[in-house]
Amino acid sequence: MNSPEQWDRLMCPTADSSWIAREGGYDPLLERSRAARFAISNGFFGVRGVRAIHRGGRWAATSRTLVAGVFDTAGEEPGIPKLAVAPDWLKVRILLQGEPLIHHVDDEARQERILDMRRGVVIGKGDLSNESAFGVKMRSFHMASLSQRAIGMQIILLEMEQGAIEVTLEASIDAVDVGLLSERSEHGLSVWRTRSSGTRLAVAAAVTLQIDRQLIPFTVCGLSQWSWKWTSTPGQVICLTRMVAMTRAGKDDIDPARAAQEALASAQTLGWPALVAVHERAWQDRWACSEVEVEGDPSAQRALRFALYHLNGAANPADEHVSIAAKALTGDDYHGHVFWDTEIYLLPFYTLTWPEAARALLMYRFNTLAGARQKAASMGWQGALYAWESADTGAETCPLQVVGPDRKLVDVNCGKQEQHISADVAYAVWQYWHATGDDAFLREAGAEILLETARFWASRAKLESDGRCHIRGVIGPDEYHESIDDNAFTNVMARWNIRRAIETAALLRTSWPESWRRLSGQLKIDEAELQRWGRVAETIATGFDSNTGLFEQFAGFFTLEDIDIAAYAGRSVPIDVVLGRERIQRSRIVKQADVVALLALLPEEFPRGSAAANFEYYASRCGHGSSLSRAMHGIVAARLGQSEVALDFFRQTSAIDLDDTHVATEGGVHIASLGGIWMIAVLGFAGVSFAGDHLCLAPALPAAWKSLSFPMQWRGRHLRIEINDASAGVRVTLETGDPLKLAINGELFALSSAEPLVVNSKTQAGVA
Ligand code: IFM
């Protein structure tokens, strides 16, 4: 039996309020975006953070559990797999004297939801009552275990206000919203199956109730329901504890029920206090590897904590068959599909703080190569063209039409034309390998991705009469302009992809000849083909104008109407809604970072002195119509030394999910922009890069930031980086691993574990 002290500890949020997100009351307008912000996730399943106890029928948001990889193709949009809604394992209903609890107008003062980001738990508090004013005090707790990813846990504590009341309490696993087929159902165990893929989900659950620390047997009133009825005494304390275990299995895998039952049994043996303790330790470990601390700017600190909370909860290093969707597991907008968001906006964080998670995410791309090859072949090209929107198999899942802002159907061409995704995946593979030195990954998976994506580009780019290779009919990151030719982002990334593939082939041939023999034989790549790729890379059109130093975003961009976007400042809707789709397409207004994104990813491709000119030109024409846009601008501004401009982008990016400025937070947090927050801090303000052979730092903090410190991993080493603006000092500590050399503001320094490297960045002198 657990003691009241244990319950109090469980329900007590971290004292330092910078770890806490707290929202009171119940606002039907905000409820869905709160559910996304307060979501808990462990990368295997996620639960949206709605109120703990159901009241009346006035629910704007119900609790929703999403399990990674459980995709189903529903009838209404044929061919588009969607992340299925899993059974709601948190449902609780209370009746006092036979009457349900109701929603009260003064709930604002009586209800509170607390996200404790340090511990990875959601705590609820509230006074609940029914029409006749019979009441209970409630405290609730739930978590998705980060140490045992199958396990979810809920604890509800109730304190009765009145005596001699007939109380009915029901806990259920609600399948009303579930789009899955029931395959097996018995008390405490259900197995579900998707209609299309045959993926199965098992849910095993155990629920107990204690009244004044006495276990009370339940009455079974349904296969997935537990019910209790008793007469209250004033001050009576009730504790409901529920543990669930969820497991997923493919069509041909063994029955997942057994694994769910075993996981549940071992969680029960451990008991909830120990289960919570190991979960909290797992979160502590993640924070130790990823925490970014900012002194002097509490709102930036809060934004970073919030971003890192969701990033650490989004990944699962143990699963190489799923990736992170645009809304992670916090909502089902975009149907749980995976975009370039993962490779470009999230992988930098995972690569440098959680390489095991980064590897698993890249293995998902390796495991979906067949889908990418098939997509390329179906469009008449060779190699691998990754799906713009990817689900479980790697087949293209981008819808062909959506409802536009004017409520008319609009064609979506991204699935066919937004092809830079293949180079984005290759980019993440290379960055991962470069930063981790994980040669086994390169040999066994990464090289194949690099070669097959390069092969795609080499077949996609066509040599024309001007002696250059062109890539026609694409969409770049700026999705306002469709069917364009020679998008600078696409072409330069494609060229980079081909060059890295050629380098990889050479490396394999010299360092691991057996791997090269196997891979080149399997892919049927010979020297002549590699040389052809090289010629494509040499001749590909990039749109770079050496007179102005500008990349033309695509062929003909500079001839389009130049609309002054500043004249539309203060608008409350995206610029394409103001100007209309056709006018936007005829204009130089850019939806999101495109050339600027290229500058953030491949600064070395910009000839000396041209970076600032490109940034200035394109930033002033950007409508930021995507939540992904500002982060790229923030990184580039910070690297250009425009720290205050960068801080503005940082704040605007942070506001997307924290301040409800972006309409779509309701459908889940914007995980890419959360990755972007980390990127602005670490790749921007600290200036971390690793294009060459060394890790490089080039710090430039905004005035408000007194210091910035964070851990990172680099080629098997754990480092801590501290930048202190007052002393203009950079301190790098090698916590584990071999000595290394690293560059600070372009000068090379040696670092060993004997003592930290302290460099005054104003008077630095390198020791090569
Ligand atoms: O991947 C993005 C895209 O760049 C802009 N629209 C939303 C997608 C998902 O976040």
Side-chain angles (χ1 to χ4, degrees):
M1 231 30 64
N2 307 113
S3 66
E5 292 72 33
Q6 281 176 307
W7 290 330
D8 288 346
R9 260 202 310 278
L10 182 77
M11 301 285 178
C12 179
T14 298
D16 175 350
S17 63
S18 68
W19 287 99
I20 300 297
R22 200 183 279 266
E23 294 190 24
Y26 177 77
D27 181 340
L29 291 179
L30 290 181
E31 211 50 26
R32 293 190 63 230
S33 61
R34 285 178 174 176
R37 272 195 292 283
F38 281 67
I40 53 166
S41 172
N42 59 20
F44 174 58
F45 72 91
V47 183
R48 282 165 65 80
V50 298
R51 297 200 299 191
I53 297 195
H54 287 232
R55 267 157 285 180
R58 311 175 61 161
W59 287 93
T62 51
S63 157
R64 224 165 160 70
T65 294
L66 297 167
V67 180
V70 182
F71 284 98
D72 203 7
T73 307
E76 75 265 23
E77 234 179 317
I80 306 293
K82 298 177 179 171
L83 206 53
V85 177
D88 174 7
W89 55 276
L90 288 152
K91 199 157 188 175
V92 173
R93 194 163 151 247
I94 299 172
L95 302 174
L96 302 176
Q97 288 294 57
E99 282 177 30
L101 301 170
I102 55 164
H103 176 78
H104 288 274
V105 275
D106 61 344
D107 258 4
E108 185 64 45
R110 298 155 42 121
Q111 310 294 327
E112 194 172 36
R113 228 169 307 169
I114 299 163
L115 171 65
D116 188 333
M117 297 183 268
R118 191 177 66 84
R119 299 166 64 202
V121 305
V122 170
I123 295 166
K125 290 185 179 164
D127 295 340
L128 313 172
S129 55
N130 65 8
E131 198 77 54
S132 310
F134 293 124
V136 290
K137 285 193 185 317
M138 184 271 307
R139 288 186 288 167
S140 69
F141 170 101
H142 67 273
M143 65 177 217
S145 171
L146 200 67
S147 47
Q148 279 101 321
R149 284 191 166 79
I151 301 295
M153 199 186 79
Q154 173 192 46
I155 292 189
I156 292 189
L157 288 175
L158 302 171
E159 194 182 323
M160 298 307 303
E161 282 175 7
Q162 294 94 358
I165 306 280
E166 187 193 80
V167 186
T168 307
L169 197 148
E170 283 168 17
S172 54
I173 297 199
D174 187 0
V176 172
D177 246 1
V178 171
L180 302 169
L181 301 170
S182 169
E183 195 171 83
R184 177 171 164 195
S185 188
E186 49 200 72
H187 196 254
L189 177 71
S190 49
V191 182
W192 305 84
R193 184 168 48 79
T194 61
R195 282 184 173 74
S196 54
S197 58
T199 302
R200 283 162 301 156
L201 174 71
V203 184
V207 190
T208 59
L209 190 83
Q210 292 172 34
I211 299 181
D212 288 336
R213 303 181 66 198
Q214 293 291 315
L215 264 181
I216 308 294
F218 57 83
T219 320
V220 178
C221 48
L223 286 177
S224 296
Q225 224 163 25
W226 293 254
S227 179
W228 296 264
K229 202 175 258 189
W230 72 97
T231 304
S232 70
T233 54
Q236 193 174 51
V237 175
I238 296 107
C239 175
L240 176 99
T241 308
R242 167 157 37 189
M243 285 184 193
V244 296
M246 283 176 271
T247 52
R248 187 193 72 214
K251 180 162 63 81
D252 303 322
D253 298 342
I254 54 162
D255 182 5
R258 181 131 175 231
Q261 284 171 313
E262 283 171 5
L264 180 66
S266 75
Q268 284 178 292
T269 309
L270 209 55
W272 74 253
L275 198 64
V276 173
V278 285
H279 161 78
E280 290 184 354
R281 263 204 302 281
W283 268 101
Q284 252 170 38
D285 291 347
R286 282 309 312 139
W287 284 113
C289 289
S290 63
E291 230 253 280
V292 180
E293 283 168 287
V294 175
E295 257 186 322
D297 188 345
S299 74
Q301 179 67 76
R302 181 165 168 264
L304 278 157
R305 291 248 161 91
F306 181 76
L308 297 176
Y309 163 74
H310 280 291
L311 290 166
N312 280 319
N316 178 1
D319 194 343
E320 298 183 345
H321 292 274
V322 299
S323 183
I324 299 175
K327 303 291 180 163
L329 293 169
T330 70
D332 41 21
D333 266 11
Y334 293 117
H335 310 315
H337 294 173
V338 180
F339 293 73
W340 71 315
D341 305 30
T342 312
E343 281 72 25
I344 297 301
Y345 291 79
L346 306 183
L347 256 295
F349 167 78
Y350 296 117
T351 295
L352 294 178
T353 73
W354 198 1
E356 300 80 3
R359 190 184 211 275
L361 291 165
L362 293 171
M363 286 305 291
Y364 162 81
R365 291 299 191 179
F366 178 70
N367 289 325
T368 51
L369 253 175
R373 285 193 183 105
Q374 215 221 314
K375 180 176 170 188
S378 73
M379 296 175 84
W381 296 302
Q382 295 168 12
L385 170 56
Y386 278 99
W388 175 244
E389 295 189 26
S390 187
D392 45 357
T393 65
E396 182 58 72
T397 59
C398 182
L400 296 174
Q401 291 189 315
V402 292
V403 180
D406 54 1
R407 303 183 66 78
K408 292 201 179 110
L409 281 179
V410 194
D411 290 340
V412 180
N413 295 316
C414 301
K416 281 179 252 133
Q417 297 187 2
E418 205 157 346
Q419 298 172 357
H420 62 83
I421 177 74
S422 268
D424 305 331
V425 172
Y427 180 86
V429 164
W430 184 266
Q431 299 288 91
Y432 168 80
W433 171 66
H434 201 58
T436 60
D438 184 349
D439 294 337
F441 167 78
L442 184 74
R443 283 196 309 269
E444 286 150 27
E448 192 168 335
I449 296 177
L450 286 160
L451 292 164
E452 283 290 74
T453 47
R455 179 178 259 173
F456 163 71
W457 292 118
S459 77
R460 180 67 177 84
K462 291 282 173 264
L463 184 64
E464 296 188 8
S465 53
D466 61 354
R468 304 204 75 86
C469 279
H470 296 273
I471 300 180
R472 299 193 181 276
V474 297
I475 299 176
D478 162 23
E479 292 161 341
Y480 287 162
H481 297 95
E482 303 186 332
S483 306
I484 52 164
D485 299 334
D486 290 330
N487 167 238
F489 181 93
T490 305
N491 289 22
V492 176
M493 289 288 285
R495 179 173 73 182
W496 181 94
N497 187 166
I498 294 173
R499 288 180 172 158
R500 296 300 79 78
I502 294 172
E503 232 175 291
T504 304
L507 177 72
L508 256 57
R509 198 184 288 121
T510 50
S511 305
W512 302 292
E514 191 40 51
S515 302
W516 176 244
R517 238 188 320 278
R518 175 189 57 78
L519 194 55
S520 58
Q522 177 197 322
L523 301 180
K524 300 192 177 50
I525 291 180
D526 57 19
E527 196 47 42
E529 182 170 1
L530 290 173
Q531 281 178 11
R532 259 197 323 278
W533 295 2
R535 285 195 294 277
V536 173
E538 289 322 306
T539 54
I540 202 161
T542 65
F544 183 71
D545 177 346
S546 51
N547 292 320
T548 58
L550 294 180
F551 276 96
E552 185 172 28
Q553 189 180 294
F554 54 83
F557 181 85
F558 289 150
T559 64
L560 298 176
E561 185 188 2
D562 205 9
I563 297 175
D564 178 16
I565 200 171
Y568 297 87
R571 71 198 137 80
S572 58
V573 289
I575 190 73
D576 58 326
V577 176
V578 179
L579 297 179
R581 200 168 180 226
E582 284 74 29
R583 177 130 187 251
I584 274 281
Q585 284 172 342
R586 291 194 308 270
S587 81
R588 272 182 247 179
I589 291 183
V590 172
K591 176 180 177 183
Q592 68 190 82
D594 193 303
V595 172
V596 172
L598 182 63
L599 180 52
L601 300 186
L602 297 177
E604 65 279 11
E605 300 284 344
F606 285 67
R608 214 179 163 73
S610 67
N614 278 281
F615 180 65
E616 204 178 301
Y617 185 89
Y618 285 103
S620 62
R621 288 168 175 80
C622 186
H624 300 296
S626 159
S627 61
L628 277 61
S629 184
R630 290 185 173 89
M632 286 295 176
H633 285 77
I635 298 166
V636 172
R639 286 182 182 159
L640 288 171
Q642 300 178 23
S643 311
E644 303 311 317
V645 175
L647 185 60
D648 250 13
F649 284 119
F650 179 96
R651 295 208 195 289
Q652 289 168 24
T653 306
S654 311
I656 292 171
D657 285 321
L658 279 173
D659 298 348
D660 272 318
T661 54
H662 207 285
V663 280
T665 298
E666 300 182 343
V669 298
H670 299 77
I671 197 75
S673 67
L674 296 175
I677 291 172
W678 179 88
M679 290 204 290
I680 301 178
V682 172
L683 309 184
F685 293 133
V688 167
S689 68
F690 44 92
D693 228 15
H694 298 287
L695 179 65
C696 308
L697 296 174
L701 302 190
W705 292 25
K706 301 293 164 242
S707 71
L708 167 67
S709 59
F710 54 91
M712 62 174 278
Q713 296 179 40
W714 170 255
R715 297 191 180 167
R717 301 162 179 96
H718 283 76
L719 301 165
R720 167 152 291 277
I721 293 161
E722 294 160 274
I723 299 155
N724 191 313
D725 216 37
S727 60
V730 180
R731 182 187 171 95
V732 186
T733 312
L734 177 61
E735 290 180 337
T736 60
D738 296 338
L740 75 155
K741 285 187 182 147
L742 78 165
I744 301 181
N745 292 330
E747 273 186 70
L748 215 49
F749 295 86
L751 172 65
S752 75
S753 53
E755 59 177 330
L757 169 69
V758 181
V759 175
N760 182 320
S761 52
K762 293 214 171 108
T763 57
Q764 69 189 68
V767 274

